[in-house]
Amino acid sequence: MRLTQRLLALSLLTLSCVFSFAAAKTLTEADRRLLARYEAIRAELAMDNLEGARTAANDLPSNANAAVIARADSLNTARMAFKKLSAEVIALGAGVDGFVIVHCPMVEADWLQTSREISNPYLGKKMPTCGKVKSSP
């Protein structure tokens, strides 16, 4: 009987932690827009499409790193700003259902994406699958 009570208590504690974590990761509409625009920028950089990344970044006018991407004159400049933007966005999206954190050892950088299938925004078409999923919800 005591073992059953302990298991029940442990189960309730675990469930409580899960619900607390889920509640802590509730996103606002602004957060969802930021994550959606970030994913669009990431996808364009992964395809080596500077113009597409610039266009997607224009939708985030209040973000300094997105503004750099919107004005970037090269993929390298856009990717450097994307690295800084990623640091902000990973903090927001870590643990959110539907997003995974990926690490590229070649450039020593992380990013957030919506698929477990690697699509590297830092190396683009040169090495599209370079990276490893670090975490997912």
Side-chain angles (χ1 to χ4, degrees):
M1 185 75 153
R2 286 187 176 203
L3 180 58
T4 303
Q5 289 174 335
R6 286 184 198 164
L7 288 173
L8 179 59
L10 184 58
S11 296
L12 289 173
L13 179 61
T14 301
L15 191 57
S16 173
C17 289
V18 167
F19 279 106
S20 295
F21 181 74
K25 282 302 195 177
T26 301
L27 298 176
T28 66
E29 186 59 36
D31 293 340
R32 285 188 199 95
R33 273 195 311 275
L34 172 61
L35 287 171
R37 296 313 331 152
Y38 172 86
E39 174 60 15
I41 295 166
R42 186 213 54 78
E44 295 297 341
L45 291 174
M47 293 185 298
D48 294 336
N49 185 353
L50 177 60
E51 191 55 41
R54 291 174 62 183
T55 299
N58 272 325
D59 289 341
L60 294 173
S62 62
N63 185 289
N65 292 310
V68 171
I69 296 168
R71 295 186 315 269
D73 59 357
S74 71
L75 280 168
N76 188 50
T77 300
R79 286 175 170 143
M80 296 291 270
F82 182 78
K83 189 174 183 178
K84 293 175 184 174
L85 178 61
S86 291
E88 297 173 42
V89 174
I90 287 170
L92 174 66
V96 173
D97 191 34
F99 291 92
V100 295
I101 300 170
V102 185
H103 177 75
C104 175
M106 299 297 288
V107 295
E108 289 296 319
D110 296 339
W111 74 91
L112 195 67
Q113 66 178 46
T114 56
S115 171
R116 292 186 66 81
E117 183 177 323
I118 307 299
S119 177
N120 191 315
Y122 299 114
L123 300 174
K125 292 179 180 179
K126 183 169 50 175
M127 294 182 77
T129 60
C130 181
K132 183 174 182 159
V133 173
K134 286 176 62 172
S135 68
S136 59

